[in-house]
Structures are given as structure tokens and as C-alpha cells.
Amino acid sequence: MAGNEWINGYLEAILDSGGAASDQKASAMSLTEWGHFNPTKYFVEEVVTGVDETDLHRTWIKVVATRNTRERSSRLENMCWRIWHLARKKKQLEWEDFQRITKRRWEREQGRRDATEDMSEDLSEGEKGDTVGELLQSETPRKKYQRNLSDLQVWSDDNKGKKLYIVLVSLHGLVRGENMELGRDSDTGGQVKYVVELARALSMMPGVYRVDLFTRQVSSRDVDWSYGEPAEMLSSGSYEADGSDLGESAGAYIIRIPCGPSNQYLRKELLWPYLQEFVDGALAHILNMSRVLGEQIGGGQPVWPYVVHGHYADAGDVAALLSGALNVPMVLTGHSLGRNKLEQLLKQGRMSKEDINATYKIMRRIEAEELSLDAAELVITSTRQEIDEQWGLYDGFDVKLERVLRARARRGVNCHGRYMPRMVVIPPGMDFSNVVVPEESIDTDGDLKELIGTDGASPRSIPPIWAEVMRFLTNPHKPMILALSRPDPKKNITTLVKAFGECRPLRELANLTLIMGNRDDIEEMSGGNASVLVTVLKLIDKYDLYGLVAFPKHHKQADVPEIYRLAAKTKGVFINPALVEPFGLTLIEAAAHGLPMVATKNGGPVDIHRALNNGLLVDPHDQKAIADALLKLVAEKNLWQECRKNGLRNIHLFSWPEHCRTYLTRVAACRMRHPQWQTDTPTDDMAMEESLGDSLKDVQESSLRLSVDGEKNSLNGSAYDAAEIEIGTAGQDDPELQDQVKRILSKIKKSVPEANATDSSKKQSENSGNTLTKYPLLRRRRRLFVIALDWYDDKGGPDKKMLQMIQEVFRAIRSDSQMSRISGFALSTAMPISETLELIKSAKIPATNFDALICSSGSEVYYPGTAQCMDADGKLCADPDYATHIDYRWGYDGVKRTIAKLMTTQNVQSDNKSDKTSSNIEEDVSSSNAHCVSFFIKDSTKAKPIDDLRQKLRMRGLRCHLMYCRNSTRLQVIPLLASRSQALRYLFVRWGLSVSNMYVILGEKGDTDHEELISGSHKTVIMKGAVEKGSDELLRTAGSYQREDIVPGESPLVVYTKGGMKADEIMGALKEASKAAPAI
């Protein structure tokens, strides 16, 4: 290798170019310079400068310092192959990225066109011209702005009587109210501070009674004990001086929910498998708090959350499931987005998409963000740029289609279930309570001289950070140009130093202060940060800026306000020259201290400047523009004073009260919804039952024992006689207790004949001879065994082994008399109710042996033997409350038509072009219902994966839950809020049977919703050897997130049988699962 002179020539050229090759933005060399092709210069220009590898410079330095010829040659050889490989890899990634973006753009245009074509059928002839473009041209920006303001009623003190309950979710990081460890790790940063301050600020708003901030409970030795506390008060929530409206539960609280291994602090990328567990824990707290608040302020009725607000992708996923289970509105704040990060990492060319996904779990994060968009009513962003350039990358949001759908909704035209969440810009709030606003008339320069003296001596004590900054400066009285950011290449600090160094008038008039984080040794810093600092030091030396530039090594968070104050006293300017700034919080902080600003014109500063009007915007790539803007503000005192006054006058727009007022105004404009059954179910009989002791409950529930032989039990008769005997024995030492229990038993005996007399007039179910009960027995169960075996033959019919397994489960529970007294059963299946009843009837199992039947993949719930699920003809009917619950954003016709079109289009492209009507699906009418569209799959090998179909539906504005089921012979589409796992949470919310007291029995494989049923706080028993073939292979496309991102690898809540399928084997697994500590 050392003998190849042409390679050595390339490498010598690299070494001669030094670090400048990676730095400079020099004009491109002509490849035919001097009349012939110059390969060495081509290599340096096209390969070295094209590779974004920050630590190459360090390697160059080491090579230059190497004197040994052999070692130098070896280093040169290593560098050659490294650079060649990186350049080749980067070119490949760029080409793949180009193809991906092109394909995505075509798919989005196709989806938008399909959506507008489908919806145009509802328009009159005069309106059919309202395509995407024409609908948007009807409003000028001014008219749109005026209409938006007039449509919203601003939140005010008039809402004080509402007493709202608001739920915020921020899952990862270490969250506490005081002494926040910001910067401890990448998960504990600005988001933690934001959500804590938001919770406090919301609790102080008129009309808000309680705010709960949910986060993960961490009881690890690696972190402070406070993160393991279940609850922490943030504020008492006083919004009136006299405190007359306060209650014992009012205020803002951090609620820590256990999920995953409690003794480990996990980074956010490892939390994905435990989200369902977190959802169940949060749901239990919300239900309990709703009852408590109902007693305090709700007149006895539950007080449901006004909104559930998720922060970041993981909490967005959680909030989507919570809002679906509770049927309340959801709000989302992304903070930072996965697709945007993926785009940036791919452009850098250092990692492949597979490596990025393995490191950051980026595909699981992106899917969580898509799911959040599906469920969210409102998405809050900091800037307009975030909407257009970041959320615009997602399948679930299209700016143009969102405006079309909104326009149709205003005119009352049917959108066929199509929906796009509303995006609004609400800048983050800030706490200005500790900001000392400078007086407008003060002579700032004179005041500074008084403080520090004309010769730099200090007649008074000054803040330590002032002394630290001023020791760098020859004349600290000159106006200070202040930049405060990490030494990140994207922050563009080097361009600022160049602009300052090359502008002599600016150097003469001002000093430059660079607050670039904290450092001990540059060599120990990350490559990118170290490179920026080294370049800054070189530029200071190059332009001889000693005495003009301050760059302290250390500062505390508490020093930042003092730094702003020092800059303001010198009549200085704050600058943010970042290449792109997502928001620009430092600009607001600087304005609050009376500092005018110069900021990048890319991103959030545009919105901030529009609100504050306190400075100038510049192109961050234009050195001269940066220098001119700074010189203009420093030199023109009247302009400086005007910008300062404007900033101080308008800064209130970024205060927390203003943020919360806008927030509540926007949330109030959402479609408010909440569970509708809260006044339908009387609770007096429940209260009477709960007043009995545990022993009485056991006796009462023994009359509800189920059997596979269909034995009939009665609510009256000997059961209560036995209860009297047992109570008489248990309470013989306490006559007062014995008399009290007898009175309660007497009331129960009286109520039972009355109930039977009422129900006797109703027709009985054709599947059972039992007397109808008014409400399901679920609300009195302590345990529920959910049989969810997806065991089907090649044609999609139920396998005989499924029935055998159901019978074995019944026998297993009956073998334990104590367990059978307190337990109920549910059957969860993809089959419709007709096939489900036929299945259990074939085994002579009465339908009333099941407390609930969850059918059609979770789109219907039945309670056999209850009057609630019995129609006038005596036939079993679905729970009407559940049907109302899942109806949100459901468009049956639109989904049916779109699925048929998508599957047909695939065949047209892949098969004979003349067969234009061929399709791989056919509607399964017998399996469809009002909330389930079912299709036969003709050839499962040609079926599109769920990921692919869901993406195309999202692009068309359709939000739903898709699954392949019954051994890949059916495709079923159900509402977004419906699924078999969410149906279990519905039973919890509706009837009070905790999810942690449910046992879900599954096969090794199943339908494509199989993974959803494994995770959660319920106990899961997986039958080894059961269901060897399912529909799992049709769930995901290549390159998507993996099973381990959904299902925890090891969990005490998930138990496997040893391979047997008999009752004793099942009972052993159930007992093992019951030992797991409940998460709730």
C-alpha cells in the first residue's frame, strides 16, 4: 500500500490541506485546472470535504505528528480506506434517501387526490370545483386570522366555576418539582422543566381545579429517593386570594406510575415495551381520582379529565390509549420529532437506517407519533416552521388536506370519517417572577461604571459571573454582544466570530461574549463540540481578538439571568446565529431583561420577532449581514432603545398565564366528549354490597359460580341461608356486627324478589334459561379470565382444539373452589357474535357462563344473560354504550371504499393489466357490522402488510384499526378506539373490574393484534404449542419496529405453560402469574 504513489499523493494532499478541508466553504475547483484532470484535487475536494466526519481532523493531527515512516504509512493506509468507505456509504445513503423521498411525495399526492375525489361526490355541481387548491384560495391570510379569532372565545375569569381536571403525561427522564437535575442525561432536559412549570401554571388558572402530571416511578439506587415517591404536590392550586374555592384535592401534582423493572432507571429508548403497563396504572389512578373529585366537586358524579395531554412520542402513545379508554379529548406536544431526527441522521451519512433504528428505536418512536396524530384533537407546536417542515413529514398530517377537511366541516359536508388534527402555535411560557426589569430611564452605562469602577476595580460586590466575564475584556464598559448556546456546529458560533473579527467598526464599538456551556478539558469533549471550540480559539488568534472576546469555561444555571443583566447594562445585543432554531427560548429570556436581538431567519425566531418586534433577522450564512445588523443596533442608540422598549412591552405574550389562557381557549374549541353512562348506572346497590364484609362477599359470589355443564344458580334461596349461618358463626363474638349484617341481608332478600318480578316480564335469551339480570356480573368479580385463543383452520373456521382449550380453562378454575367463587370469564375473538355463539353451543356451553363476549376483533361487546344486551325479540345484542364509545372518527363507507380501491390497485399493477377489476379481497358480509368492515383474503401471499395499509389510509385522512385475523383469511377494519385490548380497559372503566385483576390466555401466535394483548398490567398466560400458525407475518414491513419494541422480553406478568394443555397445567401457570406483584 505504501508503494502506491497515487494513493500516497492523495493522502499527502489531504495532510497538506489540514483541518481546513472539513471547514471551508471554498468555491469548487475546476477539475480540468491547468488544462488537465487533477485527481488529487478531485479526491480532496469531492471526497474529503464531502464526508461529515468530525474526528478525522484529530487523525490528521496524529499523522502529521508521527515521525516514524512505517507508522506514518500505516496511518495513511488506514485513513485512505476509511475515507473511501465513508464517501461510498454516504453516496449510497443519499441515493436511497432521494428514492424514498420521491416515492413518499408521489404516495402523498395520490392519497390527497383519492381523498378529494371520494369526498367530491357529496358536493353539488357548483361546488365540485373545490379541489385542494381552490378551497384554499378563498381566504386571504387576514380573513383567516380574523375568522380564527372570532370563532374562539378567549378563556377568562368567567370560567372560574368549571373546576376542570387536566391530565398531563411526560413519561421519561427524572421529574420532580424542586432541584430538577436538568442536564443529568439526555432524557432530563428542557422538557422536564416545561411540563412541571406547565402543570403549576395551569393549576393557577381560573376554572382549573386539579392537574395531574404522570411520569414513571423510579426506585433505583442510581437516582434520588424522591423519584420513587408515588405523589408529589407542585402547588395548592389557589386561584382566589381568599382560598374559598380550594378543596383537599385541588392543585397540581406529580403522579408516578410504576412500569417495567422498578429498580432500574431506563433511558427512553428502552421504555417502549412497558407503555401498556403504564397506561393501565394511569387509568387506575384517573378512575379513582374521578370518583374522589366527584364526591368533592361533582355532586356525586365522576369528574372525568377535561383533556389528556401527551408530551413527546412515548407519552403521546400513552395519552392516545388513555383518551381512547376514557373517551375524552387528547392533546399532543411533540417537543422533538422522530422523522425529523431520522432525516438529519441519514443526511449525515454516518449510520445506516438499520443502525439508527437499533440505537434510537426510531421506527417505534415514529409509529408512536403517528398513533398520537390519529387520536389527537389538537397538536401544540412552538413555531409555524415545526408544522410545515416537521409534522409535514408524517403520514397522518397533510397541511393541504387538513384545510380542505376543515372547510368541509364548517359547511356541514360529510367527510366520511376523514380527519386531520388541528395544529396551533402556542409558544412555551416562561416564569418572569425572578426577572428584574430594568427601568427605562436609567443611564445603564453610568450605572455600570458605578458598579465596577472606571479602572475595572469594584467598589461594590458584583456577581461572580460578571467578574469571570470581565477578566477577558480590556474595556468592559463597551456594549456587549452576547451569544449563549452549546458549542454545536448547528449553532453557527464560528460564523459569528468571523463576522465580528472581520468588521473593524464593530470591534471598536463592542465586545463579544460567548457562553458555550461548561468545560474542563477540550480533549474530553465530544468531537463536534471540541471542533467548534478549537475553531473559535483559532479565529480569536487569527483576528487578534484578545481583550475583545470573553469565553468563560464555567457558569451555573443561576448565573444566566446575571449574564443577561450585564449585557443590558452595557447597552448590548443578544444574538442567536443558529443555522436553524426550532424555537429560541434564549431570545425570550434576553428580551425579558431588556436586550434587543439579532437572530436567524430560519425557524422559531421569525415568530418571536413578529410578536416582540425587538430586533433584526439575518441570514445565518451571510457574515456581512450578521455584522451589519449588530453594528446597526450597537451604533444607533435610538433604534436600540426602541427595540428594548418593544421587547419589554410585549414580553407578556410569552408568560405562563398567557400561554395557559391560549391553551385553554384552544382546548375548549375541541370536540368535548366524555363517558355518557355516568348517570345511567345506579350505584346504590353497589354501595350496599360493598358495605358487607369479605366473608359475606365470598358467600354471595359462590352463587355466581360458573360451570361448563351449564348448572343453574339462583340469587335467592339457600345461598343467603348459608350466608346467615357463616356470618352468625363469624360474628358470634360481636352481637352489634351480627345485627348490622342481618339488617343488610334482610334488605338484599327484599330486593331480589323485586328484581325477579321486574325481569320476569322480559323474554329470556334463546341461549340460556337463566333469569336476566339488569347489569353484568363483572362489577362484582374479583378476577376475570379472558380466553383469547386465535386458533383457526386454513379456511378461517374455529379449530376443534379451541373448544377443548376453553373447556380445560373452565375445569382449571373449577378445580380451585376459592378462585371459582370470585372469578368470571370472557371470550375475546375475531369471529362475529353469530359464529361465537354457534361455537360455544356446539360444546354445550351456555353463553351465560361468560360474563362478556368480545367479538369482531373488539368492535362489539356482549353481556349474555343481562337485560342491557337483550332486544325486544329476546336476541342477544351488543352493548350500546360501547358502540357509542368507539364511534368517534369512524367512517364505515369511506373505509370500505378506500380498502377496496387500495387492494384492487395493487392487483392492477402486479398482474395482467387487462384484468382491471381483479382484487385480492371480497367483502365478508356475515362478519361485518356497523363498526367492523370484514373482507375475505383470497391469497394471503399477495396481501399488503398492516403497516403499509395503515400508512395509505392515514395519507387519506382515515383513522382506524386494521388487523389480519383468523389465520390470515380475513382483513378486518374497526374504529380507532376499538380493539380487543382496549375493550378490556373499557370493562375496567365501565364496570370497575381492574385490568390488573384480569388474566389473558393466549396462544403462541394469533391475529395481528396478538402483541397488544400480551403487554399491560394484566397477567398473561401463553399456552405453549397452542396456535402454531397465525397472522403475525402480515403485521409489519421490512425495516419497521420489532416485536421487542412492543412486548417486554422478560416480565413477571407474562407466564408460559410447560407445553401441556390440560387443566392442571393451566392452573399451575395461573397460580404462577398470580404471584406477580400487581402494577396497580
Side-chain angles (χ1 to χ4, degrees):
M1 190 67 190
N4 294 331
E5 294 301 326
W6 61 277
I7 293 180
N8 285 340
Y10 291 162
L11 295 174
E12 291 295 343
I14 296 171
L15 296 177
D16 290 341
S17 67
S22 61
D23 248 5
Q24 63 190 3
K25 298 288 182 181
S27 59
M29 289 184 183
S30 171
L31 299 180
T32 58
E33 195 173 355
W34 301 305
H36 66 278
F37 178 73
N38 188 325
T40 301
K41 292 187 179 294
Y42 171 78
F43 187 85
V44 173
E45 186 67 28
E46 297 297 321
V47 178
V48 179
T49 60
V51 175
D52 183 16
E53 184 72 3
T54 56
D55 62 342
L56 273 180
H57 180 57
R58 294 184 181 183
T59 307
W60 294 337
I61 293 174
K62 290 180 180 179
V63 172
V64 172
T66 303
R67 296 183 179 181
N68 184 289
T69 305
R70 181 174 297 180
E71 183 180 350
R72 180 183 176 88
S73 297
S74 177
R75 287 181 182 274
L76 291 174
E77 179 180 348
N78 176 63
M79 284 181 61
C80 176
W81 285 112
R82 182 180 178 192
I83 294 171
W84 176 83
H85 174 73
L86 287 170
R88 183 172 178 268
K89 185 177 180 182
K90 185 172 183 179
K91 292 290 184 184
Q92 179 184 356
L93 291 173
E94 286 175 351
W95 173 244
E96 292 174 355
D97 187 52
F98 172 77
Q99 290 181 311
R100 179 174 53 84
I101 292 174
T102 302
K103 180 182 178 184
R104 182 177 180 81
R105 187 180 296 116
W106 180 87
E107 289 177 340
R108 184 179 286 280
E109 290 295 334
Q110 181 66 38
R112 191 183 299 150
R113 186 162 49 250
D114 288 350
T116 51
E117 285 177 1
D118 287 347
M119 293 187 296
S120 66
E121 298 176 3
D122 295 321
L123 301 175
S124 63
E125 289 298 323
E127 294 176 309
K128 285 188 177 180
D130 288 347
T131 60
V132 174
E134 292 171 348
L135 278 171
L136 300 181
Q137 293 172 3
S138 60
E139 291 184 333
T140 65
R142 180 177 294 275
K143 287 182 178 179
K144 175 184 173 183
Y145 180 73
Q146 292 173 345
R147 176 181 52 73
N148 286 346
L149 284 181
S150 62
D151 287 349
L152 299 178
Q153 184 176 358
V154 178
W155 195 268
S156 66
D157 291 343
D158 296 338
N159 297 292
K160 187 173 65 173
K162 290 192 174 182
K163 297 187 178 180
L164 306 178
Y165 175 33
I166 294 175
V167 170
L168 309 178
V169 186
S170 183
L171 190 64
H172 62 261
L174 298 171
V175 183
R176 65 183 179 189
E178 303 296 335
N179 301 317
M180 289 179 274
E181 299 182 75
L182 302 181
R184 173 191 170 113
D185 52 56
S186 60
D187 292 350
T188 310
Q191 178 181 327
V192 171
K193 181 181 178 183
Y194 173 85
V195 294
V196 169
E197 291 185 354
L198 175 62
R200 281 198 181 106
L202 280 174
S203 69
M204 305 301 290
M205 292 298 292
V208 177
Y209 185 78
R210 181 182 174 99
V211 179
D212 279 342
L213 169 57
F214 289 109
T215 190
R216 179 173 179 253
Q217 185 182 39
V218 184
S219 302
S220 170
R221 293 181 179 179
D222 298 331
V223 301
D224 191 75
W225 62 269
S226 59
Y227 300 114
E229 290 296 297
E232 176 185 345
M233 176 182 278
L234 293 175
S235 72
S236 59
S238 172
Y239 50 78
E240 277 199 354
D242 60 1
S244 58
D245 288 329
L246 289 178
E248 57 183 290
S249 298
Y253 297 82
I254 296 175
I255 305 298
R256 298 185 178 90
I257 305 296
C259 72
S262 61
N263 61 343
Q264 295 181 32
Y265 172 48
L266 301 177
R267 57 188 176 92
K268 58 179 176 288
E269 289 82 7
L270 301 179
L271 288 176
W272 295 110
Y274 307 108
L275 294 193
Q276 301 255 12
E277 194 177 332
F278 187 93
V279 170
D280 293 334
L283 188 61
H285 174 86
I286 290 173
L287 292 180
N288 181 60
M289 185 52 58
S290 295
R291 287 191 292 268
V292 171
L293 295 180
E295 296 172 359
Q296 293 178 6
I297 59 174
Q301 295 292 349
V303 175
W304 301 107
Y306 187 63
V307 68
V308 178
H309 187 167
H311 294 266
Y312 194 79
D314 48 11
D317 197 328
V318 167
L321 293 173
L322 282 175
S323 94
L326 295 165
N327 201 17
V328 298
M330 175 197 162
V331 175
L332 172 67
T333 300
H335 291 277
S336 67
L337 301 182
R339 282 201 189 276
N340 187 55
K341 182 168 185 175
L342 177 61
E343 296 285 336
Q344 292 178 357
L345 291 173
L346 288 175
K347 285 179 181 178
Q348 290 177 5
R350 300 178 192 175
M351 302 173 69
S352 66
K353 188 175 180 180
E354 291 73 21
D355 293 336
I356 294 170
N357 192 33
T359 304
Y360 299 104
K361 303 293 182 183
I362 202 76
M363 301 311 296
R364 178 65 181 90
R365 175 179 171 183
I366 289 172
E367 180 57 26
E369 289 162 343
E370 294 282 10
L371 289 169
S372 302
L373 285 177
D374 289 342
E377 289 270 2
L378 191 69
V379 178
I380 294 175
T381 69
S382 299
T383 65
R384 186 71 210 177
Q385 179 260 355
E386 184 181 342
I387 299 175
D388 297 333
E389 299 181 17
Q390 296 186 43
W391 282 117
L393 298 172
Y394 284 77
D395 304 326
F397 182 72
D398 185 322
V399 175
K400 294 180 180 179
L401 186 55
E402 187 269 338
R403 291 172 182 169
V404 171
L405 293 172
R406 195 159 12 115
R408 289 174 63 91
R410 282 200 307 270
R411 293 186 297 177
V413 181
N414 189 1
C415 293
H416 297 290
R418 289 179 171 81
Y419 181 85
M420 289 282 171
R422 185 69 182 273
M423 300 253 174
V424 297
V425 177
I426 307 179
M430 285 189 60
D431 182 8
F432 299 129
S433 59
N434 296 323
V435 175
V436 179
V437 180
E439 298 178 11
E440 295 185 4
S441 61
I442 194 169
D443 182 357
T444 54
D445 187 50
D447 185 46
L448 185 64
K449 289 179 181 178
E450 182 183 349
L451 284 173
I452 67 174
T454 55
D455 58 352
S458 177
R460 298 187 195 173
S461 62
I462 62 173
I465 191 63
W466 286 23
E468 179 65 19
V469 169
M470 289 188 294
R471 73 183 179 90
F472 288 89
L473 306 174
T474 304
N475 182 4
H477 302 282
K478 291 164 60 176
M480 179 187 292
I481 298 170
L482 173 63
L484 193 155
S485 70
R486 303 187 315 275
D488 188 297
K490 294 179 291 186
K491 297 302 181 180
N492 204 28
I493 297 174
T494 54
T495 302
L496 170 62
V497 178
K498 290 178 184 178
F500 182 77
E502 294 180 6
C503 183
R504 182 175 179 179
L506 189 59
R507 295 199 309 268
E508 293 175 351
L509 281 176
N511 294 320
L512 177 62
T513 297
L514 305 174
I515 307 298
M516 299 178 288
N518 291 286
R519 64 186 182 278
D520 291 317
D521 187 347
I522 294 178
E523 291 295 328
E524 296 176 358
M525 299 178 68
S526 62
N529 292 353
S531 177
V532 171
L533 276 168
V534 169
T535 304
V536 167
L537 295 176
K538 287 183 176 181
L539 290 172
I540 291 173
D541 186 73
K542 177 181 178 179
Y543 296 112
D544 193 15
L545 301 178
Y546 298 104
L548 298 175
V549 179
F551 44 97
K553 295 183 67 171
H554 298 283
H555 73 281
K556 300 176 182 177
Q557 187 65 30
D559 293 332
V560 174
E562 294 297 341
I563 297 172
Y564 288 130
R565 196 159 68 92
L566 175 60
K569 283 187 175 295
T570 63
K571 292 191 176 180
V573 177
F574 182 82
I575 180 168
N576 182 336
L579 299 176
V580 177
E581 180 58 62
F583 179 61
L585 195 62
T586 53
L587 294 171
I588 299 173
E589 293 175 346
H593 288 82
L595 273 175
M597 73 171 188
V598 173
T600 176
K601 66 176 185 178
N602 300 329
V606 176
D607 296 317
I608 294 174
H609 179 264
R610 186 182 296 118
L612 297 181
N613 190 25
N614 70 326
L616 302 171
L617 299 178
V618 294
D619 181 353
H621 299 284
D622 190 339
Q623 281 182 211
K624 187 176 185 304
I626 293 173
D628 290 345
L630 290 170
L631 184 61
K632 187 178 182 66
L633 279 171
V634 170
E636 298 181 20
K637 297 302 181 183
N638 290 336
L639 176 62
W640 184 92
Q641 194 70 24
E642 181 183 354
C643 289
R644 175 177 175 276
K645 288 180 179 179
N646 288 343
L648 293 173
R649 183 187 305 116
N650 299 320
I651 196 65
H652 70 91
L653 296 174
F654 295 94
S655 66
W656 274 118
E658 189 69 24
H659 175 95
C660 293
R661 189 175 295 109
T662 308
Y663 174 92
L664 292 171
T665 299
R666 289 292 186 178
V667 171
C670 294
R671 175 185 169 187
M672 286 296 115
R673 62 189 198 278
H674 54 79
Q676 297 297 318
W677 59 78
Q678 56 181 345
T679 57
D680 297 340
T681 307
T683 57
D684 53 345
D685 55 339
M686 288 289 293
M688 179 172 59
E689 291 170 11
E690 290 175 358
S691 66
L692 299 178
D694 290 340
S695 59
L696 178 56
K697 281 187 176 181
D698 290 341
V699 176
Q700 287 177 319
E701 288 168 345
S702 66
S703 66
L704 307 176
R705 189 180 308 168
L706 307 176
S707 71
V708 293
D709 300 324
E711 295 177 359
K712 300 177 184 177
N713 296 307
S714 174
L715 288 175
N716 54 8
S718 61
Y720 290 106
D721 296 336
E724 289 176 350
I725 295 172
E726 183 172 332
I727 294 300
T729 305
Q732 59 186 357
D733 298 330
D734 191 345
E736 184 177 350
L737 174 62
Q738 191 172 357
D739 292 341
Q740 183 179 359
V741 171
K742 286 182 178 180
R743 287 195 299 271
I744 296 174
L745 283 172
S746 176
K747 291 180 181 179
I748 295 176
K749 285 183 177 180
K750 291 179 181 178
S751 64
V752 170
E754 291 174 2
N756 289 340
T758 303
D759 295 339
S760 62
S761 60
K762 299 181 180 179
K763 296 186 178 181
Q764 296 181 350
S765 170
E766 58 186 14
N767 300 296
S768 171
N770 287 3
T771 302
L772 297 179
T773 59
K774 188 173 182 180
Y775 299 108
L777 302 177
L778 285 167
R779 55 187 185 152
R780 289 188 288 188
R781 300 298 191 197
R782 295 189 190 175
R783 293 181 181 176
L784 182 69
F785 295 91
V786 182
I787 304 171
L789 292 163
D790 303 322
W791 215 335
Y792 303 99
D793 56 30
D794 292 337
K795 295 183 179 179
D799 193 288
K800 292 181 180 179
K801 295 179 181 177
M802 185 191 294
L803 273 178
Q804 296 173 7
M805 187 64 68
I806 293 173
Q807 291 173 324
E808 289 298 326
V809 171
F810 274 106
R811 290 191 182 98
I813 304 305
R814 288 188 64 203
S815 66
D816 188 320
S817 59
Q818 182 178 359
M819 184 179 291
S820 64
R821 282 202 305 268
I822 61 176
S823 302
F825 294 88
L827 183 62
S828 181
T829 176
M831 295 185 294
I833 185 63
S834 56
E835 293 185 42
T836 303
L837 292 176
E838 185 179 345
L839 172 68
I840 58 179
K841 187 177 180 179
S842 66
K844 298 181 181 180
I845 302 175
T848 50
N849 275 20
F850 294 96
D851 290 340
L853 298 173
I854 301 170
C855 300
S856 299
S857 298
S859 63
E860 291 183 327
V861 174
Y862 298 83
Y863 312 116
T866 63
Q868 185 178 8
C869 288
M870 196 69 63
D871 63 14
D873 297 326
K875 294 182 178 179
L876 194 62
C877 62
D879 179 0
D881 289 331
Y882 184 70
T884 303
H885 182 83
I886 64 175
D887 195 56
Y888 178 63
R889 290 188 185 172
W890 173 241
Y892 183 97
D893 294 331
V895 167
K896 178 180 174 182
R897 188 162 54 238
T898 303
I899 289 290
K901 183 182 293 186
L902 290 174
M903 301 299 274
T904 302
T905 302
Q906 183 191 27
N907 267 358
V908 171
Q909 293 178 349
S910 59
D911 295 336
N912 189 353
K913 293 184 179 180
S914 62
D915 188 12
K916 295 183 179 180
T917 58
S918 64
S919 176
N920 192 36
I921 61 171
E922 179 183 340
E923 186 179 1
D924 181 6
V925 179
S926 62
S927 297
S928 299
N929 59 60
H931 292 97
C932 177
V933 186
S934 183
F935 298 95
F936 288 108
I937 302 297
K938 297 178 182 178
D939 185 354
S940 62
T941 61
K942 296 181 179 179
K944 291 184 177 181
I946 289 295
D947 273 3
D948 192 22
L949 284 174
R950 189 162 48 203
Q951 177 193 43
K952 289 176 168 54
L953 287 174
R954 282 170 174 159
M955 287 181 171
R956 289 156 177 79
L958 292 168
R959 318 289 177 162
C960 49
H961 204 152
L962 302 99
M963 61 208 68
Y964 286 105
C965 54
R966 302 177 70 171
N967 200 4
S968 303
T969 62
R970 306 288 198 285
L971 169 64
Q972 297 196 156
V973 190
I974 61 178
L976 177 68
L977 302 190
S979 71
R980 290 196 287 175
S981 59
Q982 284 291 81
L984 299 182
R985 295 189 177 103
Y986 170 81
L987 297 180
F988 181 17
V989 176
R990 182 69 174 95
W991 304 112
L993 179 60
S994 175
V995 177
S996 62
N997 293 329
M998 297 182 185
Y999 293 72
V1000 180
I1001 301 170
L1002 302 169
E1004 287 191 275
K1005 294 188 177 182
D1007 300 342
T1008 53
D1009 61 348
H1010 181 258
E1011 293 175 358
E1012 299 175 19
L1013 289 166
I1014 298 177
S1015 306
S1017 65
H1018 59 259
K1019 283 77 173 176
T1020 304
V1021 175
I1022 298 179
M1023 309 295 297
K1024 277 195 174 181
V1027 192
E1028 298 176 352
K1029 185 180 178 183
S1031 308
D1032 311 56
E1033 67 276 3
L1034 293 174
L1035 178 57
R1036 284 184 282 270
T1037 55
S1040 182
Y1041 60 93
Q1042 302 302 312
R1043 176 186 171 93
E1044 55 264 27
D1045 299 329
I1046 300 292
V1047 179
E1050 293 183 5
S1051 171
L1053 299 173
V1054 180
V1055 176
Y1056 289 80
T1057 61
K1058 297 179 180 179
M1061 301 185 191
K1062 295 299 183 182
D1064 56 346
E1065 177 81 13
I1066 296 172
M1067 176 54 72
L1070 290 173
K1071 288 185 176 180
E1072 183 181 351
S1074 66
K1075 296 176 183 177
I1080 301 176

